[in-house]
Amino acid sequence: DDLRVRVFDVRSHQLVRHLEGHSRTVTDVAFSPDGRYLTTASLDCTLRLVDLPSARLVAWHTVHLPITSLSWSPRGEFLATTHAGCLAICVWANRALFANLQLDAEVTEALPLAMPAGASGDDDDDEGELEALTEAEGRHEGSLAVAAVRAAQEAASREALRELSRPDQIAPGLPTLSGVAKAQWKSLRALDEIKERNKPEQPPEAPPDAPFFLATRAGLEPTFAAPEN
C-alpha cells in the first residue's frame, strides 16, 4: 500500500489520475453521482475531495474518528460516512449545491469537521474540536477574502459588459445593423424575391370536418360506426 489513489480509464485502460496526500491506509473511495468529484478517506482521519477534470484538491477535512466507508446520495446532496468505533451513520450536506466552489483557490490546510451529536464517541472532546474548528476557520479568512474580492471583480466586469454603449444612430429612419450577424442582414435586399419564391402554388386545403365523438357498435370488441352523411 503506497497510500496513493490511481484512477484508470476503463475504455483505454490508461492511468488518467494519480492522487496522493494521505499518510495512512486509504479505507474507501467514492465517485460523486455526476462522476466529476472523487472522495477519498483514510485511517489518518482525513477526508479529501478532488475535482477529477482539473485534478485539483477542492476540500480537505479532518474528523475525530477514522472513516471506514463512504457513499453519495443518488443526486449528490448528501455524503454518508461510517467511522471506526462508532455505530452511527453520519450524513453530511454537500455545500457545493448552495455556493460556488473556488477551484482556483489552492487548499493547503485541512479544516476540521465537528462530528454530529452522539457520533463522536467522546463527549469530552467536543469542546476541543470546536476550538480547533474556530482556529482553522480563522486561518482560512484570508483565502475567503481573496475569493470574495475576485467574485466582486467578476460581477463588476459583467455589469460593465451590459452597460457598453451602442453605436450612434446614423439617421432616425435607418436601422443600425452593426451588431447583427452578416447572414441575418445580407438577405434583406432580396426579401421580396424570397417571399415570392417561397409562396405556395395553391393555398392549403382545410381538412374535412370530423365529429368530436365517434359512435361505436354494440359487441364485445368495440368498433366505430361510420358517420352518416
Side-chain angles (χ1 to χ4, degrees):
D1 188 0
D2 57 1
L3 311 180
R4 300 174 180 176
V5 177
R6 296 174 175 84
V7 182
F8 289 86
D9 188 342
V10 295
R11 294 185 178 179
S12 61
H13 302 284
Q14 294 182 355
L15 178 66
V16 294
R17 289 291 180 265
H18 183 215
L19 310 175
E20 56 185 18
H22 290 294
S23 59
R24 296 187 64 183
T25 303
V26 178
T27 56
D28 198 8
V29 297
F31 288 94
S32 62
D34 57 1
R36 177 172 181 176
Y37 301 106
L38 178 64
T39 311
T40 63
S42 170
L43 290 178
D44 58 4
C45 298
T46 61
L47 175 69
R48 299 170 70 91
L49 181 66
V50 179
D51 179 68
L52 289 178
S54 62
R56 185 180 295 273
L57 182 64
V58 177
W60 182 15
H61 298 286
T62 59
V63 291
H64 179 63
L65 299 173
I67 298 175
T68 56
S69 64
L70 301 166
S71 181
W72 284 93
S73 61
R75 296 185 179 180
E77 304 100 325
F78 304 101
L79 176 68
T81 61
T82 58
H83 300 259
C86 179
L87 300 180
I89 298 177
C90 301
V91 180
W92 313 86
N94 184 6
R95 295 182 60 184
L97 299 179
F98 311 100
N100 295 326
L101 292 178
Q102 298 293 334
L103 298 181
D104 56 346
E106 184 178 0
V107 180
T108 58
E109 296 182 1
L111 180 64
L113 284 179
M115 298 287 289
S120 62
D122 188 359
D123 296 336
D124 296 336
D125 294 338
D126 290 345
E127 185 177 354
E129 289 182 4
L130 182 58
E131 294 178 356
L133 180 60
T134 305
E135 181 181 356
E137 288 179 348
R139 290 195 300 266
H140 282 72
E141 286 182 357
S143 60
L144 292 177
V146 173
V149 171
R150 290 180 180 176
Q153 293 176 349
E154 293 178 357
S157 300
R158 290 193 296 267
E159 186 66 23
L161 289 175
R162 285 194 294 265
E163 295 179 355
L164 285 177
S165 60
R166 297 179 178 270
D168 296 334
Q169 193 78 8
I170 299 175
L174 295 178
T176 302
L177 303 177
S178 59
V180 182
K182 184 178 180 180
Q184 297 185 17
W185 59 262
K186 191 174 181 180
S187 59
L188 291 179
R189 296 177 299 175
L191 186 59
D192 295 336
E193 181 181 351
I194 294 174
K195 290 182 178 180
E196 185 66 25
R197 184 178 56 192
N198 294 337
K199 184 183 298 183
E201 297 180 357
Q202 56 183 5
E205 297 181 357
D209 296 335
F212 188 81
F213 296 101
L214 298 178
T216 56
R217 300 180 184 275
L220 296 178
E221 296 181 359
T223 56
F224 293 103
E228 298 179 358
N229 295 332

